[in-house]
Amino acid sequence: MASSEKKRRTEEENREFNQDWTESFAFICNTDGLPTCLICHEKLAHNKKSNLERHFTTKHTQFASNYPTGNARKKAVEELQKKQLQSSSMLTNWAQSSSNVNLASFAVALEIARRGKPFTDGEY
Ligand SMILES: [Zn+2]
């Protein structure tokens, strides 16, 4: 049984982010080409539909029941994407308004934000 599963090659093997996953599981593709959760900002290591599906159905059951698949889900995901954009422009404003922030530390802060790590994570 296990050996026949190993031989099977499905679409899930082709490690590319599928745009449909944004609407289905609230994931977007980050700059590394890896799926990032719009709800909790967790980054997954593989572009595998099963991983995204498991993350969404185990961690965000409330979101799934609040916004059933279809138009409601689509709108909720769009809202999350807008918030994501707003928070990254807030970071830009914050960096620009701090006079002692140089370009290098701004780039680091931006990179940390992109990777979804908390600001308390290490030195920068
Ligand atoms: Zn999540």
mmCIF file with all atom_site columns, all heavy atoms in Angstrom, residues 96-112:
data_model
loop_
_atom_site.group_PDB
_atom_site.id
_atom_site.type_symbol
_atom_site.label_atom_id
_atom_site.label_alt_id
_atom_site.label_comp_id
_atom_site.label_asym_id
_atom_site.label_entity_id
_atom_site.label_seq_id
_atom_site.pdbx_PDB_ins_code
_atom_site.Cartn_x
_atom_site.Cartn_y
_atom_site.Cartn_z
_atom_site.occupancy
_atom_site.B_iso_or_equiv
_atom_site.pdbx_formal_charge
_atom_site.auth_seq_id
_atom_site.auth_comp_id
_atom_site.auth_asym_id
_atom_site.auth_atom_id
_atom_site.pdbx_PDB_model_num
ATOM 1   N N   . GLN A 1 96  ? 10.283 55.969 7.382  1.00 0.00 ? 96  GLN A N   1
ATOM 2   C CA  . GLN A 1 96  ? 10.594 57.278 6.815  1.00 0.00 ? 96  GLN A CA  1
ATOM 3   C C   . GLN A 1 96  ? 10.499 58.384 7.847  1.00 0.00 ? 96  GLN A C   1
ATOM 4   O O   . GLN A 1 96  ? 11.199 59.393 7.760  1.00 0.00 ? 96  GLN A O   1
ATOM 5   C CB  . GLN A 1 96  ? 9.664  57.570 5.637  1.00 0.00 ? 96  GLN A CB  1
ATOM 6   C CG  . GLN A 1 96  ? 10.105 56.836 4.378  1.00 0.00 ? 96  GLN A CG  1
ATOM 7   C CD  . GLN A 1 96  ? 9.059  56.878 3.287  1.00 0.00 ? 96  GLN A CD  1
ATOM 8   O OE1 . GLN A 1 96  ? 7.932  57.297 3.538  1.00 0.00 ? 96  GLN A OE1 1
ATOM 9   N NE2 . GLN A 1 96  ? 9.406  56.426 2.111  1.00 0.00 ? 96  GLN A NE2 1
ATOM 10  N N   . SER A 1 97  ? 9.626  58.218 8.855  1.00 0.00 ? 97  SER A N   1
ATOM 11  C CA  . SER A 1 97  ? 9.465  59.279 9.838  1.00 0.00 ? 97  SER A CA  1
ATOM 12  C C   . SER A 1 97  ? 10.536 59.236 10.922 1.00 0.00 ? 97  SER A C   1
ATOM 13  O O   . SER A 1 97  ? 10.748 60.208 11.621 1.00 0.00 ? 97  SER A O   1
ATOM 14  C CB  . SER A 1 97  ? 8.074  59.216 10.478 1.00 0.00 ? 97  SER A CB  1
ATOM 15  O OG  . SER A 1 97  ? 7.932  57.983 11.133 1.00 0.00 ? 97  SER A OG  1
ATOM 16  N N   . SER A 1 98  ? 11.225 58.116 11.067 1.00 0.00 ? 98  SER A N   1
ATOM 17  C CA  . SER A 1 98  ? 12.312 58.061 12.034 1.00 0.00 ? 98  SER A CA  1
ATOM 18  C C   . SER A 1 98  ? 13.568 58.627 11.406 1.00 0.00 ? 98  SER A C   1
ATOM 19  O O   . SER A 1 98  ? 14.101 58.064 10.464 1.00 0.00 ? 98  SER A O   1
ATOM 20  C CB  . SER A 1 98  ? 12.591 56.619 12.467 1.00 0.00 ? 98  SER A CB  1
ATOM 21  O OG  . SER A 1 98  ? 11.435 56.058 12.983 1.00 0.00 ? 98  SER A OG  1
ATOM 22  N N   . SER A 1 99  ? 14.050 59.746 11.961 1.00 0.00 ? 99  SER A N   1
ATOM 23  C CA  . SER A 1 99  ? 15.182 60.431 11.348 1.00 0.00 ? 99  SER A CA  1
ATOM 24  C C   . SER A 1 99  ? 16.474 59.629 11.438 1.00 0.00 ? 99  SER A C   1
ATOM 25  O O   . SER A 1 99  ? 17.328 59.738 10.588 1.00 0.00 ? 99  SER A O   1
ATOM 26  C CB  . SER A 1 99  ? 15.375 61.803 11.999 1.00 0.00 ? 99  SER A CB  1
ATOM 27  O OG  . SER A 1 99  ? 15.460 61.626 13.391 1.00 0.00 ? 99  SER A OG  1
ATOM 28  N N   . ASN A 1 100 ? 16.627 58.825 12.489 1.00 0.00 ? 100 ASN A N   1
ATOM 29  C CA  . ASN A 1 100 ? 17.891 58.097 12.648 1.00 0.00 ? 100 ASN A CA  1
ATOM 30  C C   . ASN A 1 100 ? 17.894 56.723 11.987 1.00 0.00 ? 100 ASN A C   1
ATOM 31  O O   . ASN A 1 100 ? 18.783 55.922 12.195 1.00 0.00 ? 100 ASN A O   1
ATOM 32  C CB  . ASN A 1 100 ? 18.270 57.986 14.128 1.00 0.00 ? 100 ASN A CB  1
ATOM 33  C CG  . ASN A 1 100 ? 17.190 57.275 14.919 1.00 0.00 ? 100 ASN A CG  1
ATOM 34  O OD1 . ASN A 1 100 ? 16.119 56.989 14.390 1.00 0.00 ? 100 ASN A OD1 1
ATOM 35  N ND2 . ASN A 1 100 ? 17.466 56.986 16.174 1.00 0.00 ? 100 ASN A ND2 1
ATOM 36  N N   . VAL A 1 101 ? 16.857 56.457 11.209 1.00 0.00 ? 101 VAL A N   1
ATOM 37  C CA  . VAL A 1 101 ? 16.818 55.165 10.516 1.00 0.00 ? 101 VAL A CA  1
ATOM 38  C C   . VAL A 1 101 ? 17.503 55.315 9.161  1.00 0.00 ? 101 VAL A C   1
ATOM 39  O O   . VAL A 1 101 ? 17.136 56.152 8.360  1.00 0.00 ? 101 VAL A O   1
ATOM 40  C CB  . VAL A 1 101 ? 15.367 54.687 10.341 1.00 0.00 ? 101 VAL A CB  1
ATOM 41  C CG1 . VAL A 1 101 ? 15.264 53.641 9.258  1.00 0.00 ? 101 VAL A CG1 1
ATOM 42  C CG2 . VAL A 1 101 ? 14.857 54.119 11.656 1.00 0.00 ? 101 VAL A CG2 1
ATOM 43  N N   . ASN A 1 102 ? 18.538 54.539 8.948  1.00 0.00 ? 102 ASN A N   1
ATOM 44  C CA  . ASN A 1 102 ? 19.178 54.613 7.634  1.00 0.00 ? 102 ASN A CA  1
ATOM 45  C C   . ASN A 1 102 ? 18.606 53.560 6.691  1.00 0.00 ? 102 ASN A C   1
ATOM 46  O O   . ASN A 1 102 ? 17.807 52.705 7.090  1.00 0.00 ? 102 ASN A O   1
ATOM 47  C CB  . ASN A 1 102 ? 20.702 54.519 7.747  1.00 0.00 ? 102 ASN A CB  1
ATOM 48  C CG  . ASN A 1 102 ? 21.144 53.191 8.323  1.00 0.00 ? 102 ASN A CG  1
ATOM 49  O OD1 . ASN A 1 102 ? 20.494 52.177 8.124  1.00 0.00 ? 102 ASN A OD1 1
ATOM 50  N ND2 . ASN A 1 102 ? 22.251 53.204 9.040  1.00 0.00 ? 102 ASN A ND2 1
ATOM 51  N N   . LEU A 1 103 ? 18.995 53.635 5.483  1.00 0.00 ? 103 LEU A N   1
ATOM 52  C CA  . LEU A 1 103 ? 18.412 52.782 4.459  1.00 0.00 ? 103 LEU A CA  1
ATOM 53  C C   . LEU A 1 103 ? 18.654 51.300 4.733  1.00 0.00 ? 103 LEU A C   1
ATOM 54  O O   . LEU A 1 103 ? 17.795 50.471 4.491  1.00 0.00 ? 103 LEU A O   1
ATOM 55  C CB  . LEU A 1 103 ? 18.994 53.170 3.100  1.00 0.00 ? 103 LEU A CB  1
ATOM 56  C CG  . LEU A 1 103 ? 18.082 52.895 1.901  1.00 0.00 ? 103 LEU A CG  1
ATOM 57  C CD1 . LEU A 1 103 ? 16.817 53.750 2.004  1.00 0.00 ? 103 LEU A CD1 1
ATOM 58  C CD2 . LEU A 1 103 ? 18.830 53.192 0.617  1.00 0.00 ? 103 LEU A CD2 1
ATOM 59  N N   . ALA A 1 104 ? 19.829 50.982 5.282  1.00 0.00 ? 104 ALA A N   1
ATOM 60  C CA  . ALA A 1 104 ? 20.173 49.587 5.532  1.00 0.00 ? 104 ALA A CA  1
ATOM 61  C C   . ALA A 1 104 ? 19.239 48.961 6.565  1.00 0.00 ? 104 ALA A C   1
ATOM 62  O O   . ALA A 1 104 ? 18.720 47.866 6.363  1.00 0.00 ? 104 ALA A O   1
ATOM 63  C CB  . ALA A 1 104 ? 21.613 49.479 5.992  1.00 0.00 ? 104 ALA A CB  1
ATOM 64  N N   . SER A 1 105 ? 19.014 49.667 7.683  1.00 0.00 ? 105 SER A N   1
ATOM 65  C CA  . SER A 1 105 ? 18.166 49.079 8.712  1.00 0.00 ? 105 SER A CA  1
ATOM 66  C C   . SER A 1 105 ? 16.714 49.036 8.253  1.00 0.00 ? 105 SER A C   1
ATOM 67  O O   . SER A 1 105 ? 15.957 48.162 8.642  1.00 0.00 ? 105 SER A O   1
ATOM 68  C CB  . SER A 1 105 ? 18.305 49.826 10.033 1.00 0.00 ? 105 SER A CB  1
ATOM 69  O OG  . SER A 1 105 ? 17.800 51.116 9.906  1.00 0.00 ? 105 SER A OG  1
ATOM 70  N N   . PHE A 1 106 ? 16.365 49.962 7.382  1.00 0.00 ? 106 PHE A N   1
ATOM 71  C CA  . PHE A 1 106 ? 15.016 49.922 6.822  1.00 0.00 ? 106 PHE A CA  1
ATOM 72  C C   . PHE A 1 106 ? 14.843 48.662 5.972  1.00 0.00 ? 106 PHE A C   1
ATOM 73  O O   . PHE A 1 106 ? 13.849 47.966 6.068  1.00 0.00 ? 106 PHE A O   1
ATOM 74  C CB  . PHE A 1 106 ? 14.757 51.170 5.979  1.00 0.00 ? 106 PHE A CB  1
ATOM 75  C CG  . PHE A 1 106 ? 13.516 51.069 5.128  1.00 0.00 ? 106 PHE A CG  1
ATOM 76  C CD1 . PHE A 1 106 ? 12.272 50.963 5.728  1.00 0.00 ? 106 PHE A CD1 1
ATOM 77  C CD2 . PHE A 1 106 ? 13.600 51.069 3.748  1.00 0.00 ? 106 PHE A CD2 1
ATOM 78  C CE1 . PHE A 1 106 ? 11.130 50.850 4.962  1.00 0.00 ? 106 PHE A CE1 1
ATOM 79  C CE2 . PHE A 1 106 ? 12.461 50.971 2.979  1.00 0.00 ? 106 PHE A CE2 1
ATOM 80  C CZ  . PHE A 1 106 ? 11.221 50.862 3.583  1.00 0.00 ? 106 PHE A CZ  1
ATOM 81  N N   . ALA A 1 107 ? 15.857 48.366 5.188  1.00 0.00 ? 107 ALA A N   1
ATOM 82  C CA  . ALA A 1 107 ? 15.814 47.178 4.337  1.00 0.00 ? 107 ALA A CA  1
ATOM 83  C C   . ALA A 1 107 ? 15.715 45.917 5.182  1.00 0.00 ? 107 ALA A C   1
ATOM 84  O O   . ALA A 1 107 ? 14.980 44.989 4.856  1.00 0.00 ? 107 ALA A O   1
ATOM 85  C CB  . ALA A 1 107 ? 17.043 47.124 3.439  1.00 0.00 ? 107 ALA A CB  1
ATOM 86  N N   . VAL A 1 108 ? 16.448 45.888 6.286  1.00 0.00 ? 108 VAL A N   1
ATOM 87  C CA  . VAL A 1 108 ? 16.400 44.733 7.179  1.00 0.00 ? 108 VAL A CA  1
ATOM 88  C C   . VAL A 1 108 ? 15.012 44.595 7.795  1.00 0.00 ? 108 VAL A C   1
ATOM 89  O O   . VAL A 1 108 ? 14.439 43.509 7.820  1.00 0.00 ? 108 VAL A O   1
ATOM 90  C CB  . VAL A 1 108 ? 17.481 44.847 8.277  1.00 0.00 ? 108 VAL A CB  1
ATOM 91  C CG1 . VAL A 1 108 ? 17.310 43.758 9.324  1.00 0.00 ? 108 VAL A CG1 1
ATOM 92  C CG2 . VAL A 1 108 ? 18.874 44.764 7.669  1.00 0.00 ? 108 VAL A CG2 1
ATOM 93  N N   . ALA A 1 109 ? 14.471 45.722 8.254  1.00 0.00 ? 109 ALA A N   1
ATOM 94  C CA  . ALA A 1 109 ? 13.135 45.694 8.857  1.00 0.00 ? 109 ALA A CA  1
ATOM 95  C C   . ALA A 1 109 ? 12.101 45.209 7.855  1.00 0.00 ? 109 ALA A C   1
ATOM 96  O O   . ALA A 1 109 ? 11.213 44.432 8.185  1.00 0.00 ? 109 ALA A O   1
ATOM 97  C CB  . ALA A 1 109 ? 12.762 47.083 9.362  1.00 0.00 ? 109 ALA A CB  1
ATOM 98  N N   . LEU A 1 110 ? 12.249 45.666 6.642  1.00 0.00 ? 110 LEU A N   1
ATOM 99  C CA  . LEU A 1 110 ? 11.323 45.268 5.593  1.00 0.00 ? 110 LEU A CA  1
ATOM 100 C C   . LEU A 1 110 ? 11.435 43.771 5.310  1.00 0.00 ? 110 LEU A C   1
ATOM 101 O O   . LEU A 1 110 ? 10.460 43.068 5.147  1.00 0.00 ? 110 LEU A O   1
ATOM 102 C CB  . LEU A 1 110 ? 11.607 46.071 4.325  1.00 0.00 ? 110 LEU A CB  1
ATOM 103 C CG  . LEU A 1 110 ? 10.536 46.028 3.237  1.00 0.00 ? 110 LEU A CG  1
ATOM 104 C CD1 . LEU A 1 110 ? 9.276  46.721 3.738  1.00 0.00 ? 110 LEU A CD1 1
ATOM 105 C CD2 . LEU A 1 110 ? 11.036 46.704 1.986  1.00 0.00 ? 110 LEU A CD2 1
ATOM 106 N N   . GLU A 1 111 ? 12.655 43.302 5.312  1.00 0.00 ? 111 GLU A N   1
ATOM 107 C CA  . GLU A 1 111 ? 12.909 41.887 5.063  1.00 0.00 ? 111 GLU A CA  1
ATOM 108 C C   . GLU A 1 111 ? 12.311 41.040 6.190  1.00 0.00 ? 111 GLU A C   1
ATOM 109 O O   . GLU A 1 111 ? 11.692 40.018 5.944  1.00 0.00 ? 111 GLU A O   1
ATOM 110 C CB  . GLU A 1 111 ? 14.421 41.658 4.934  1.00 0.00 ? 111 GLU A CB  1
ATOM 111 C CG  . GLU A 1 111 ? 14.832 40.264 4.504  1.00 0.00 ? 111 GLU A CG  1
ATOM 112 C CD  . GLU A 1 111 ? 14.248 39.838 3.164  1.00 0.00 ? 111 GLU A CD  1
ATOM 113 O OE1 . GLU A 1 111 ? 13.905 40.705 2.324  1.00 0.00 ? 111 GLU A OE1 1
ATOM 114 O OE2 . GLU A 1 111 ? 14.115 38.636 2.964  1.00 0.00 ? 111 GLU A OE2 1
ATOM 115 N N   . ILE A 1 112 ? 12.477 41.500 7.418  1.00 0.00 ? 112 ILE A N   1
ATOM 116 C CA  . ILE A 1 112 ? 11.897 40.784 8.554  1.00 0.00 ? 112 ILE A CA  1
ATOM 117 C C   . ILE A 1 112 ? 10.374 40.744 8.419  1.00 0.00 ? 112 ILE A C   1
ATOM 118 O O   . ILE A 1 112 ? 9.744  39.709 8.619  1.00 0.00 ? 112 ILE A O   1
ATOM 119 C CB  . ILE A 1 112 ? 12.311 41.455 9.887  1.00 0.00 ? 112 ILE A CB  1
ATOM 120 C CG1 . ILE A 1 112 ? 13.795 41.191 10.137 1.00 0.00 ? 112 ILE A CG1 1
ATOM 121 C CG2 . ILE A 1 112 ? 11.470 40.917 11.049 1.00 0.00 ? 112 ILE A CG2 1
ATOM 122 C CD1 . ILE A 1 112 ? 14.386 42.067 11.217 1.00 0.00 ? 112 ILE A CD1 1
#
